[in-house]
Amino acid sequence: MFRKRFYYLLELQYLGFRYHGWQKQPDVLTVERMVGRTLAYVLDHKNFKLLASGRTDAKVSANKAYVELFLDNEALDLASFLPLFNENLPPDIRALNISEVDKSFNVIEAPKEKEYLYLFSFGSKIHPFCAPFMINIKTPLKLSVMMEAARLFEGTHDFRTYTYKPNPETRTVGSVICSEIVKNTIYTANFFPEESYVYRVRGKGFKRHQIRLMMGVLLDLGEGKIDLDFVKQTLEPNNAIKLERIVPASGLILNDVSI
């Protein structure tokens, strides 16, 4: 029997705190599993598959994420689909938009740039409601030197030191368009501390745990455990430095994807 296939691009938001990442895995709750279950219920069949532009890790949230929907046999009524889909999604996942694309569209190659944010604060312990959004460092941080070091990641570098468990074939050279630490005015709430900060990093793509390793080095620097020269050494080709600090995932947000 001839199968006709339709292609759609879904734009999603989700709070990742209760999920084991995007990708469907046996016996754990993931964003993909919940999106797939909801689609199966709304469509009343399972003749579809999903492919994300990138896979977020456990507890990582997304303000904007893209997923391609491959649907067999019957086209969607886009006007009625989105409200019904949102009505049945769990409250921590929202569909922002859906549009039809053609067979040539490649959701993995399509992103021109991705922006991630990592929220943090330091000082006295913060409100427990902050836990899904930011981490808290109890010791004072030297923010000025952290800000200086963040800029070192900009440009094209071999990020092997910041690549989690690379093998000899892993491509580790990449470009970072923006890397900066600024006061957090992007995400706010009345239970957030009076002052919080955000590490903002933009590029076409990043390796697994890369940003969390970069943030770990910046915090080590801010705490006085390493110096600025050490950060420079981590970006030198063929260095033998192995980083140990991978910061918690709950402070990380996929903030924007440009397609």
Side-chain angles (χ1 to χ4, degrees), residues 18-205:
R18 73 184 182 108
Y19 295 103
H20 289 259
W22 161 262
Q23 188 174 13
K24 188 162 58 177
Q25 304 166 55
D27 305 321
V28 295
L29 187 65
T30 69
V31 181
E32 184 181 18
R33 182 181 293 276
M34 292 307 300
V35 171
R37 283 179 181 175
T38 306
L39 278 168
Y41 176 76
V42 168
L43 298 173
D44 199 27
H45 65 75
K46 295 183 179 180
N47 300 323
F48 63 84
K49 73 172 187 176
L50 297 167
L51 182 63
S53 62
R55 296 175 294 181
T56 49
D57 289 335
K59 296 192 176 184
V60 176
S61 297
N63 179 59
K64 182 186 283 189
Y66 285 101
V67 179
E68 191 169 3
L69 168 63
F70 303 85
L71 183 63
D72 290 340
N73 301 328
E74 187 176 350
L76 291 176
D77 178 349
L78 295 184
S80 62
F81 170 79
L82 201 64
L84 184 60
F85 186 45
N86 268 319
E87 183 180 331
N88 288 281
L89 281 169
D92 49 8
I93 305 175
R94 178 169 71 154
L96 297 175
N97 190 39
I98 185 168
S99 57
E100 189 167 8
V101 294
D102 60 30
K103 184 179 180 180
S104 66
F105 181 80
N106 185 323
V107 73
I108 295 174
E109 296 296 329
K112 301 179 182 68
E113 190 176 304
K114 295 179 181 179
E115 179 180 79
Y116 283 89
L117 305 178
Y118 197 93
L119 275 64
F120 67 98
S121 65
F122 64 94
S124 57
K125 189 167 184 177
I126 57 179
H127 198 293
F129 291 0
C130 298
F133 308 106
M134 71 173 63
I135 66 163
N136 176 247
I137 306 300
K138 295 177 179 57
T139 57
L141 294 176
K142 300 173 184 176
L143 280 172
S144 59
V145 71
M146 290 174 65
M147 290 174 177
E148 183 180 354
R151 292 292 188 184
L152 296 175
F153 295 122
E154 293 181 344
T156 300
H157 303 281
D158 186 341
F159 288 102
R160 179 166 291 273
T161 306
Y162 296 92
T163 303
Y164 182 69
K165 294 184 177 179
N167 58 53
E169 290 74 40
T170 304
R171 292 183 178 181
T172 56
V173 174
S175 296
V176 171
I177 298 164
C178 172
S179 173
E180 63 178 0
I181 291 175
V182 295
K183 279 193 175 183
N184 173 35
T185 59
I186 302 169
Y187 292 101
T188 59
N190 62 7
F191 53 82
F192 276 16
E194 186 174 336
E195 284 192 350
S196 60
Y197 299 87
V198 58
Y199 175 45
R200 187 204 321 257
V201 58
R202 292 203 312 271
K204 181 170 174 58

